[in-house]
Amino acid sequence: MKSRTTALALLAAMAATPALAQECGGDFDAWRTAVATEARAAGVGDTGLAALQRASVDRKVLERDRAQGVFTQNFIEFSSRMISDYRLQQGAANLKKYADVFARAEQEFGVQGPVIAAFWALETDFGAVQGDFGTVNALLTLAHDCRRPELFRPQVVPLLTLIDQGILPANVKGAWAGEVGQTQILPSDYLARGVDGDGDGFVDLRNSAPDVIMTTGNKILSRGWKRGEPWIEEVRVPETMPWEQTGRTNKLPLSQWAAWGVTRRDGAPLADNGLKAGLVLPMGHKGPAFLTYDNYDVYLEWNQSITYTMTAANLAARLAGAPAYDRRNPEPGLDGDQMKELQHRLQAKGYDVGGIDGILGTNTREAVRKEQMRLGLPVDGWPTPALLAGLDEAGEAVGEEEGSKGAVE
């Protein structure tokens, strides 16, 4: 029979869990024995330990971890696929169906309903596709693997605790990265942020929509959400402006953006709301443009991909009544091989691009901005063939200069 543990009991269990060591690799059985010692010391009983003992390495999880090709898509490609008519229709239907629960979530946590509904849509299509990977095997595999153990090792004891308390079955299935439930919550958040939304005394994030809505709101709040504030606003940018001032982290008063010619999407003047925002150009200064507020930064706590977070933020805006964003006419970007070549060249120049993966991540964007500034190009973080050619020419010039020096010597 399932335990009917309350959220307070879950929080207590989380607090009792000691900090986990970050060792990885080596013999899996020996490593798992060390994990069992930690789990037992944290209060995990026989049920949870038995689930641990049955765990094994899942090679398919490692394959998925190494091949996240979806994020090689640009923002327009990714968002066009993810912000579908189905998700917009089902999102609107669920906002209406669970209006009282969404209202409770906003009252208690300050997170607007469309924000929660957008994550619900993107992660599992409102619970329809929750994943078919064995969660215990997935987490143990990623925690034992030495690529990112610091992300996954701390999730093992919380997962075993959930199983030991009967909150999750030992054979629970979810995403390849160890998340479970309708908004793909990691075990530590399940324990620390789980909320019984339907009042049955049990936090069920796989089957109870009210529990999902309330817990997701609580998780978003825990990442720094500011009550009643916006997260994103589509804008129109002028032909020229100080592009080097753009970027998520360079937050300025709306009055400054207005002074440089930034307007609302319809051309109306920006209404100064007393907040600061950064101007984000996910596909350069000729593509879509958005002011992003402090609440947008919370999206990056959910997922570090700018492509994903911009999509999630825009889906939330659509569910809140905004029209589809204007794609405008961005300059052609780089294909996967060109992006890897760019990263190789940037890395050779001393930049930390976070790995040669063909993905335009935060580190690569920052390196691109610095090179755009050096080459006299608009500083918008969008790599183009012109930028790549500029780096090629710079490399050839350096090579010729070094060759001439060698001849003299």
Side-chain angles (χ1 to χ4, degrees):
M1 182 176 179
K2 289 185 177 181
S3 167
R4 297 178 67 81
T5 309
T6 64
L8 289 177
L10 295 179
L11 287 169
M14 181 65 177
T17 302
L20 294 176
Q22 297 301 321
E23 293 87 352
C24 62
D27 180 74
F28 181 78
D29 290 340
W31 176 87
R32 184 177 54 190
T33 298
V35 173
T37 300
E38 292 176 346
R40 189 178 294 107
V44 176
D46 291 343
T47 302
L49 293 173
L52 172 62
Q53 188 59 37
R54 291 190 295 269
S56 60
V57 172
D58 187 338
R59 296 294 173 188
K60 290 183 179 180
V61 168
L62 295 176
E63 291 172 6
R64 289 292 294 271
D65 185 49
R66 267 79 169 159
Q68 299 186 53
V70 64
F71 293 123
T72 61
Q73 296 177 342
N74 64 45
F75 168 63
I76 289 178
E77 291 170 341
F78 185 79
S79 63
S80 296
R81 184 168 64 86
M82 301 301 282
I83 304 178
S84 62
D85 288 342
Y86 171 82
R87 286 175 171 156
L88 291 169
Q89 294 164 3
Q90 290 299 308
N94 278 309
L95 283 166
K96 182 177 181 180
K97 180 178 180 179
Y98 299 105
D100 60 331
V101 184
F102 281 112
R104 262 196 297 141
E106 182 165 4
Q107 180 179 13
E108 188 165 343
F109 307 117
V111 182
Q112 297 90 323
V115 174
I116 298 171
F119 283 121
W120 194 10
L122 290 177
E123 294 295 340
T124 67
D125 275 334
F126 306 101
V129 186
Q130 297 187 38
D132 57 2
F133 284 86
T135 303
V136 177
N137 287 349
L139 268 183
L140 267 291
T141 296
L142 293 168
H144 177 258
D145 183 49
C146 288
R147 193 169 89 87
R148 296 184 295 170
E150 72 282 357
L151 297 182
F152 300 105
R153 183 69 180 270
Q155 301 299 329
V156 173
V157 169
L159 174 62
L160 299 177
T161 300
L162 288 165
I163 292 170
D164 198 59
Q165 295 183 354
I167 306 301
L168 292 175
N171 64 348
V172 60
K173 293 184 181 296
W176 66 264
E179 306 99 337
V180 296
Q182 296 189 25
T183 51
Q184 301 290 264
I185 298 290
L186 283 167
S188 61
D189 277 316
Y190 203 134
L191 279 172
R193 311 298 171 193
V195 179
D196 177 13
D198 57 18
D200 69 352
F202 182 73
V203 180
D204 184 357
L205 301 184
R206 296 181 301 150
N207 302 298
S208 170
D211 291 6
V212 168
I213 293 166
M214 296 296 288
T215 298
T216 305
N218 195 18
K219 174 185 172 178
I220 294 170
L221 173 64
S222 75
R223 282 11 183 215
W225 192 265
K226 296 182 178 180
R227 179 182 294 270
E229 293 189 8
W231 57 95
I232 197 171
E233 178 182 359
E234 186 182 2
V235 293
R236 181 185 296 177
V237 296
E239 291 287 333
T240 60
M241 62 172 288
W243 301 113
E244 69 277 4
Q245 297 297 322
T246 64
R248 175 185 62 87
T249 59
N250 189 35
K251 291 184 172 63
L252 300 171
L254 267 62
S255 58
Q256 180 61 75
W257 295 119
W260 285 331
V262 177
T263 69
R264 297 177 62 179
R265 172 195 165 118
D266 61 5
L270 290 174
D272 194 344
N273 54 18
L275 303 175
K276 292 183 177 181
L279 180 58
V280 174
L281 307 167
M283 295 184 66
H285 64 290
K286 295 183 179 180
F290 306 94
L291 288 177
T292 60
Y293 296 88
D294 286 348
N295 277 343
Y296 173 74
D297 296 346
V298 175
Y299 281 82
L300 290 164
E301 296 291 325
W302 187 290
N303 188 305
Q304 290 294 306
S305 165
I306 293 176
T307 300
Y308 177 93
T309 55
M310 289 297 299
T311 298
N314 270 279
L315 177 54
R318 292 292 304 278
L319 292 173
Y325 66 82
D326 184 357
R327 299 184 180 191
R328 302 180 68 220
N329 188 30
E331 295 181 81
L334 305 180
D335 63 28
D337 289 339
Q338 289 174 318
M339 187 68 73
K340 288 180 181 179
E341 177 62 24
L342 173 71
Q343 290 174 323
H344 274 296
R345 292 186 178 276
L346 291 172
Q347 192 174 71
K349 293 173 72 65
Y351 292 105
D352 175 13
V353 297
I356 310 300
D357 55 9
I359 297 174
L360 183 58
T362 301
N363 287 7
T364 301
R365 281 185 185 270
E366 286 306 308
V368 166
R369 289 174 65 87
K370 290 176 181 176
E371 286 301 297
Q372 286 173 327
M373 183 174 293
R374 184 181 67 82
L375 294 170
L377 299 171
V379 184
D380 58 16
W382 177 241
T384 63
L387 172 66
L388 187 58
L391 293 179
D392 287 343
E393 291 167 4
E396 290 171 3
V398 170
E400 290 170 1
E401 183 178 346
E402 290 176 347
S404 62
K405 286 180 181 178
V408 172
E409 293 171 357

